[in-house]
Amino acid sequence: MSELFFRALLRIYPAAVRRHHGEEILGLMWARRRGIRGSRLAVLWLWLLLDTVRAVPLAYAHEWRRRRAARGHPAVDDLRQAWRSLRRRPAGSFAIVLCFALGVGGVTAASSFFYGVLIRPLPFHDVDRLAVLYNTAPGFTRASPSYADFVAWREQTHAFSALAAYGSTTATLPGPEGPERVDGCAVTYDFFRVLGTQPVLGRGPNAHEDNPGAPATVVLSHALWQARFASDPAVLGRTIVMDGEAYTVTGVMPAGFDYPAGARFWRPMRRGYAAGTSSGQVGSVLGRLAPGSSFDLARAEMRTIARVLQKADPRGHAQREIAVRPFADDLLWGWKGPVSGFLLVCSLIFLLALGNVAHLLLAQSTIRNREMVLRSALGAGRQNLLRQLVAEGVILAILGGALGVGLGVLGRNLYLLALPVPPPGYLDFTIGGPLMAAIVVGTLGTGVVVGLVPALDTLRQNLLPNLGAGHLQPPGSRGRLLRSVLIGGQIGIALIVLIGAGTALSSAVRLNRVSLGFDPSDVLTMRIALPAGERENPEGQRLLFDRIQNRVAALPGVTGSALVSNLPVGGMAAGTSVYVEHTEPPQPGHEPWIISKAAQPGYFGVMRIPLLAGRAFTTTDGAPGEPPVVVVNESFARRYWPDGSPLGKRIKYGAAGDTRWPWMEVVGVVGDVRHFGRARPVELGIYEPFRQEPYWREFFTVRTGGNPGSLVDELRAVVRQVSPNAVVYDLRSMSAVLYEDQWQSVVYTRILAVFSVLGLTLAAVGVFGVVAFSTARRFREFGVRLALGAQQGSILASAGRGVTIPVVSGIVGGLLLATVLVPLASSLFYDVHRLDPLVAGASAVSLALIALVATWLPARRALKADPLQALRAE
Amino acid sequence: MPGHGSGDSRPPTSASFLILLALADGPLHGLGIAEDVARSTGGSLGLGPGTLYTTLHRLLDTGLIEESPDRPEPDADDPRRRYYRITSRGRRRIASEAASLDALLGAVRAKGILPSGSGS
């Protein structure tokens, strides 16, 4: 009776308590029961009942809490199980995580650039309705309009609600450590209104301030405001001295406003601006489309305006058109191609890495067949096993993804640090919410898929018969197909990456072979801003420069120095048109476009530009009373005097009948210089003596006997001695100027080289892993065949046979795809229009060799083993 | 059951406190714990089997006690019995619970309900 009651009580307890303590509870109940009879028995029963009723709720609450904490959700349980399983195989798991991380890292870095350039909106109000406008004419693709033309456009347009012109400028500002040269921008009054960004403090320029006599005003960048005025809100109305002139501060732009990139101040472009420059041009023009207008309407209107201007001035505006281009396209030009290519390459690398992950998981899953078989024999359903395998994929993806995002951010930062010039402030490469979400979802999704591949492979097989067979069963035909597809895919992708890198490298090599026409090594360049008083008088300025030059020439280690109006590469070049005496006057609008520079005697020596005929400049060239002279480049000489000597011939600026400019006699011919870089064709060019054409801008160039960096301080000291208030700026080696001008191709080539090595390694590891694995599984078979007298060669052939077809089809597929892709990407390369057979062949052969080695190494191991040992291997 | 009445009014935590206290001297089996608790609470048999073992189960789960591998001499041992001992975490728990009881007692004495210095 008591037994029945006690057992009934026990049934009330949670199963866990019953399982662990049931016997003990019963034992204690019986201990209390001992020696009790009669009515006291009823009291005991009641007491035991009360005890149970009091204890049980707490026990259930505890069980519930425990279960929720331990295995609150089946998914958590799966992950827990998967985590334990992964920790049992640390090496394999680490390899998979690493593969994931490499793949995700590349994609993270690449997509941060891609997102920043192509997806994230530019930080300008309604940027899709902003346009840039410029002149085009036959012979030159883009030219700045004159101030007068700009004003005509602005007055006649209806398609644009506002037009603004702006041009880069620099100014000397007194700084805490002496005067400083600061980049800025001269703007017409509408500039900020067109861009749609207003100052955070104060106001931008007004129409009145564009007039020549108006008081000088300036708008500061946030950074300049912080640096010079300690972010003082009372800055408005105070003055700042720029180039010796006092400017009243009218406004401060918001932090992050960086247009044009690097500008620290904006001052009104006065109507007289054009007259003060040799080119008479305004720089760039921006417009905002009027409500209801469109780019097509604007283009049609500008065509009409161009006709009107042509009619008014047939000679000056002959064939001159006005181009209208979306502002965003213009800003991002030069970025879109590379970031897209970068993302493409990184995506391919990601696929390669995923292939390796799938290989590794497949290999593990085959080895783990026994574990799966056991677990399913012990009652785990297929669904449970599947869930666990997917959970493993997800965990690996999470770990690899986290590591990869870290690597990607690191890579992005390294890349940004490697740039010689920081990217413009309007490009934002941070990884924000949407991009991060895309990366996380993509990575997790990939983890599920990659986890599913081997899971399905495992579960498709009939598990139970394998219980005794252990893990060295020969591969099933479907598994083999999967592996073949993986190998073929990896080889194909690796080939494309390799061909991309090879194309970039060969194009870089060819580009480097193109002569620039001068020798940048050991040359220093600098610019000197003279104080306002000394700048106004050209003759005084010349004397000052001469004194600086004499002292520089006397410095130990200096072998030559000269002033030039434009460096051989980089920056703008003054384009102009000339008329050559005794030639057919060109059709209006078809005047040849030439680059004109002014140089001091000695410049050709400093830059080592070869003198091909005649003479270089002398100190008297260009002096008052001396006949005007000119030196032409080789292309110019060949174009106009293909058969005779150019020496003694005469040319002049402007058109044939134009009498504003004098005739200049050609006294020398020098070698061509590629002003726009190696990738662009040589332009026709002329040089004038510096004294003959005192330009408003000048670069100091100094050739040293070596180690130009050591002269920097001495150069500064010389300038300080001659003119204490002059500012030395842009002091760089010519090699640095060259790099800043052409860094993109250098950096892209390096990045591609890194990725090609990475891709090749991943592909090699993949092929090696698969072959080693399938050979290892056939270890026993090879042992048997060897023992039965098979030739080693036939075993090797048999090991290789499984790989040959996927490798060959991968190579063929990769070549076909590359044939299509290379022409699409040709704009990224120099002088590449189609797939170079040499590059393709070399890439294919090197991949095939790698596949061969990756096959041979594991197969050789099988052959070297003792056949008996191989037989025992299990 | 004689003397069980006082047990019903104890706060629920005190069962675990009493068990931990009983184990503070050394490993005990279930019945031993029940008897030790009865002794320390003035001869009552307050801990019923259900309260005892559900509490033991909880204490085991939370790591305050563990099953003891030390057993008495074979002739004094019953192989069906399981012995439990307190863990260092359990000792810290007693100390902290005792400290709060002490504070409580201090408050009672300060109100003159219990003469100071009097034991139980």
Side-chain angles (χ1 to χ4, degrees):
Chain A
M1 193 54 189
S2 285
E3 177 70 21
L4 218 63
F5 178 67
F6 292 169
R7 290 206 172 274
L9 279 186
L10 197 60
R11 302 283 296 187
I12 305 175
Y13 289 88
V17 173
R18 257 184 295 158
R19 199 162 53 241
H20 287 108
H21 304 288
E23 288 304 312
E24 291 170 285
I25 291 175
L26 283 176
L28 193 55
M29 285 174 170
W30 278 111
R32 294 280 179 247
R33 167 75 177 73
R34 212 163 292 137
I36 286 177
R37 52 189 89 240
S39 65
R40 291 181 63 113
L41 196 60
V43 175
L44 177 70
W45 281 24
L46 187 62
W47 182 70
L48 286 175
L49 183 64
L50 282 173
D51 172 55
T52 303
V53 167
R54 198 179 59 183
V56 157
L58 274 174
Y60 273 105
H62 175 74
E63 276 312 298
W64 184 75
R65 269 198 304 272
R66 201 174 63 104
R67 207 172 301 159
R68 197 181 54 172
R71 39 182 71 218
H73 198 272
V76 176
D77 203 33
D78 285 335
L79 287 174
R80 193 182 296 271
Q81 181 84 27
W83 174 246
R84 275 200 290 268
S85 167
L86 290 175
R87 282 186 50 184
R88 281 199 294 273
R89 303 169 267 131
S93 305
F94 179 70
I96 293 173
V97 166
L98 200 64
C99 280
F100 249 121
L102 288 176
V104 172
V107 170
T108 302
S111 52
S112 78
F113 292 115
F114 186 84
Y115 192 86
V117 169
L118 281 136
I119 299 177
R120 182 172 283 137
L122 288 164
F124 301 104
H125 172 70
D126 215 356
V127 70
D128 293 339
R129 300 190 62 76
L130 280 175
V132 287
L133 294 88
Y134 50 88
N135 274 134
T136 62
F140 59 110
T141 51
R142 183 166 182 158
S144 306
S146 66
Y147 194 95
D149 277 1
F150 160 71
V151 171
W153 298 357
R154 186 169 66 185
E155 280 167 358
Q156 295 175 35
T157 186
H158 297 287
F160 291 100
S161 59
L163 283 181
Y166 61 101
S168 294
T169 177
T170 59
T172 303
L173 270 70
E177 288 149 23
E180 244 185 283
R181 203 70 188 166
V182 175
D183 287 329
C185 188
V187 301
T188 57
Y189 68 92
D190 259 352
F191 181 72
F192 296 116
R193 200 161 72 86
V194 169
L195 277 178
T197 311
Q198 289 301 323
V200 276
L201 214 60
R203 59 165 182 86
N206 59 34
H208 167 66
E209 284 159 3
D210 276 8
N211 294 323
T217 60
V218 67
V219 173
L220 305 180
S221 77
H222 204 268
L224 193 63
W225 177 52
Q226 278 181 329
R228 293 302 164 92
F229 294 97
S231 303
D232 182 3
V235 66
L236 301 180
R238 284 169 63 180
T239 56
I240 183 168
V241 177
M242 301 200 302
D243 287 340
E245 192 182 348
Y247 283 76
T248 305
V249 177
T250 62
V252 175
M253 290 309 287
F257 180 81
D258 185 30
Y259 191 83
R264 310 290 289 278
F265 64 84
W266 296 264
R267 66 183 182 202
M269 180 189 287
R270 295 179 187 163
R271 272 177 202 283
Y273 177 84
T277 66
S278 62
S279 59
Q281 292 157 341
V282 292
S284 311
V285 176
L286 270 182
R288 179 169 289 281
L289 289 176
S293 177
S294 70
F295 279 100
D296 283 340
L297 278 174
R299 287 191 186 104
E301 185 189 71
M302 284 300 150
R303 266 196 297 278
T304 315
I305 292 178
R307 297 286 163 279
V308 171
L309 291 174
Q310 278 168 15
K311 213 166 272 171
D313 172 21
R315 209 163 62 190
H317 289 83
Q319 302 212 346
R320 192 162 284 201
E321 298 292 339
I322 305 167
V324 178
R325 186 174 188 205
F327 175 65
D329 284 2
D330 201 54
L331 271 193
L332 300 177
W333 185 86
W335 283 95
K336 281 184 179 179
V339 298
S340 308
F342 192 29
L343 185 61
L344 176 71
V345 170
C346 286
S347 306
L348 292 179
I349 300 272
F350 185 53
L351 286 179
L352 273 180
L354 282 187
N356 279 9
V357 170
H359 281 326
L360 287 163
L361 281 175
L362 264 179
Q364 287 188 348
S365 80
T366 318
I367 289 167
R368 290 171 63 204
N369 261 356
R370 203 187 172 90
E371 174 198 336
M372 293 295 141
V373 168
L374 269 175
R375 288 194 56 200
S376 87
L378 290 174
R382 276 179 172 240
Q383 220 192 346
N384 288 15
L385 297 182
L386 192 68
R387 280 215 316 258
Q388 189 201 322
L389 288 171
V390 170
E392 284 179 21
V394 168
I395 289 182
L396 292 169
I398 288 173
L399 292 177
L403 188 62
V405 168
L407 282 179
V409 171
L410 188 73
R412 183 203 63 195
N413 293 347
L414 283 178
Y415 173 79
L416 290 178
L417 283 179
L419 297 187
V421 275
Y426 47 76
L427 287 182
D428 180 2
F429 297 128
T430 52
I431 300 174
L435 179 58
M436 199 51 157
I439 290 174
V440 168
V441 168
T443 309
L444 285 184
T446 326
V448 170
V449 171
V450 163
L452 268 176
V453 169
L456 293 177
D457 183 50
T458 301
L459 296 180
R460 214 187 284 115
Q461 304 177 24
N462 194 0
L463 288 172
L464 276 178
N466 294 336
L467 190 54
H471 56 270
L472 287 181
Q473 49 150 357
S477 67
R478 298 187 74 164
R480 200 155 52 199
L481 181 66
L482 190 61
R483 282 182 191 91
S484 299
V485 169
L486 277 176
I487 294 184
Q490 277 198 306
I491 293 280
I493 291 169
L495 185 59
I496 292 172
V497 172
L498 208 56
I499 285 176
T503 308
L505 284 178
S506 78
S507 111
V509 166
R510 257 178 298 151
L511 192 55
N512 264 321
R513 267 197 225 121
V514 175
S515 169
L516 283 167
F518 69 99
D519 176 10
S521 58
D522 300 333
V523 172
L524 271 177
T525 81
M526 64 175 177
R527 302 191 66 184
I528 300 169
L530 296 177
E534 297 171 45
R535 205 178 48 238
E536 308 305 334
N537 165 10
E539 190 55 21
Q541 183 176 338
R542 189 182 67 78
L543 289 173
L544 213 66
F545 279 141
D546 280 352
R547 270 162 63 203
I548 293 175
Q549 204 183 354
N550 287 338
R551 293 208 187 191
V552 168
L555 287 175
V558 170
T559 60
S561 77
L563 288 174
V564 68
S565 60
N566 305 80
L567 290 177
V569 293
M572 307 285 279
T576 181
S577 64
V578 293
Y579 171 67
V580 179
E581 196 179 20
H582 304 311
T583 58
E584 188 71 22
Q587 290 293 313
H590 287 279
E591 295 91 351
W593 197 244
I594 62 156
I595 291 179
S596 132
K597 296 181 184 183
Q600 274 189 327
Y603 171 74
F604 301 123
V606 169
M607 287 298 169
R608 296 203 172 134
I609 298 170
L611 180 68
L612 302 176
R615 62 170 179 89
F617 299 128
T618 63
T619 45
T620 52
D621 280 336
E626 292 290 319
V629 294
V630 69
V631 167
V632 300
N633 73 0
E634 197 183 349
S635 294
F636 192 99
R638 206 177 292 142
R639 158 92 182 254
Y640 288 103
W641 306 284
D643 305 316
S645 165
L647 301 180
K649 304 289 194 309
R650 299 200 304 172
I651 64 175
K652 67 179 207 166
Y653 288 118
D658 206 329
T659 52
R660 284 175 291 176
W661 290 281
W663 287 103
M664 301 180 289
E665 185 188 331
V666 177
V667 295
V669 179
V670 293
D672 288 336
V673 168
R674 288 178 191 263
H675 185 90
F676 295 108
R678 291 190 169 98
R680 294 277 298 276
V682 174
E683 312 269 336
L684 304 181
I686 60 170
Y687 296 87
E688 281 184 86
F690 214 89
R691 286 181 78 177
Q692 184 174 307
E693 177 77 19
Y695 273 64
W696 57 287
R697 50 188 265 145
E698 62 290 306
F699 290 84
F700 226 86
T701 63
V702 181
R703 176 161 289 278
T704 70
N707 193 9
S710 62
L711 273 172
V712 166
D713 290 336
E714 288 167 78
L715 284 177
R716 286 185 191 279
V718 164
V719 175
R720 226 180 1 257
Q721 285 161 16
V722 174
S723 173
N725 289 320
V727 184
V728 173
Y729 65 106
D730 280 355
L731 206 166
R732 296 172 295 176
S733 71
M734 196 59 217
S735 310
V737 173
L738 198 61
Y739 179 61
E740 279 180 33
D741 194 53
Q742 298 168 19
W743 62 270
Q744 291 203 338
S745 63
V746 178
V747 171
Y748 296 151
T749 307
R750 275 186 211 157
I751 288 179
L752 269 173
V754 169
F755 279 116
S756 69
V757 171
L758 188 63
L760 206 57
T761 313
L762 282 171
V765 167
V767 173
F768 182 85
V770 169
V771 176
F773 174 70
S774 63
T775 318
R777 283 203 310 188
R778 296 170 67 187
F779 208 48
R780 184 191 169 113
E781 177 205 326
F782 289 161
V784 173
R785 287 171 58 180
L786 275 177
L788 292 177
Q791 292 296 307
Q792 297 212 340
S794 76
I795 301 276
L796 271 180
S798 157
R801 202 169 303 136
V803 190
T804 312
I805 291 173
V807 167
V808 168
S809 29
I811 286 178
V812 170
L815 284 176
L816 287 177
L817 210 54
T819 315
V820 180
L821 282 177
V822 167
L824 287 180
S826 61
S827 67
L828 298 179
F829 306 116
Y830 165 69
D831 196 21
V832 168
H833 308 290
R834 65 190 68 80
L835 180 57
D836 180 353
L838 196 67
V839 168
S843 307
V845 166
S846 51
L847 254 182
L849 279 178
I850 282 171
L852 196 65
V853 172
T855 314
W856 182 65
L857 282 179
R860 197 189 55 156
R861 213 187 107 243
L863 288 180
K864 277 196 170 169
D866 177 7
L868 279 179
Q869 187 197 334
L871 271 177
R872 276 196 299 269
E874 188 70 328
Chain B
M1 194 65 203
H4 64 265
S6 65
D8 291 351
S9 59
R10 277 196 210 108
T13 50
S14 102
S16 56
F17 180 70
L18 289 171
I19 291 172
L20 288 173
L21 198 59
L23 290 175
D25 293 333
L28 285 172
H29 54 79
L31 185 60
I33 296 171
E35 282 165 356
D36 192 273
V37 168
R39 260 198 308 282
S40 66
T41 53
S44 81
L45 287 170
L47 277 186
T51 311
L52 176 66
Y53 282 106
T54 53
T55 312
L56 278 178
H57 186 66
R58 230 166 22 241
L59 293 174
L60 279 168
D61 241 20
T62 47
L64 296 176
I65 63 169
E66 60 195 1
E67 223 174 300
S68 170
D70 306 330
R71 302 188 75 94
E73 293 299 308
D75 48 332
D77 190 19
D78 180 342
R80 285 173 308 177
R81 282 178 181 163
R82 287 158 80 183
Y83 283 78
Y84 303 94
R85 69 179 179 194
I86 190 165
T87 62
S88 53
R89 205 172 147 199
R91 280 189 194 280
R92 284 199 297 278
R93 172 63 65 85
I94 306 187
S96 73
E97 240 175 275
S100 58
L101 278 179
D102 194 42
L104 205 60
L105 213 54
V108 173
R109 291 208 177 95
K111 292 183 189 292
I113 296 167
L114 206 63
S116 48
S118 89
S120 54

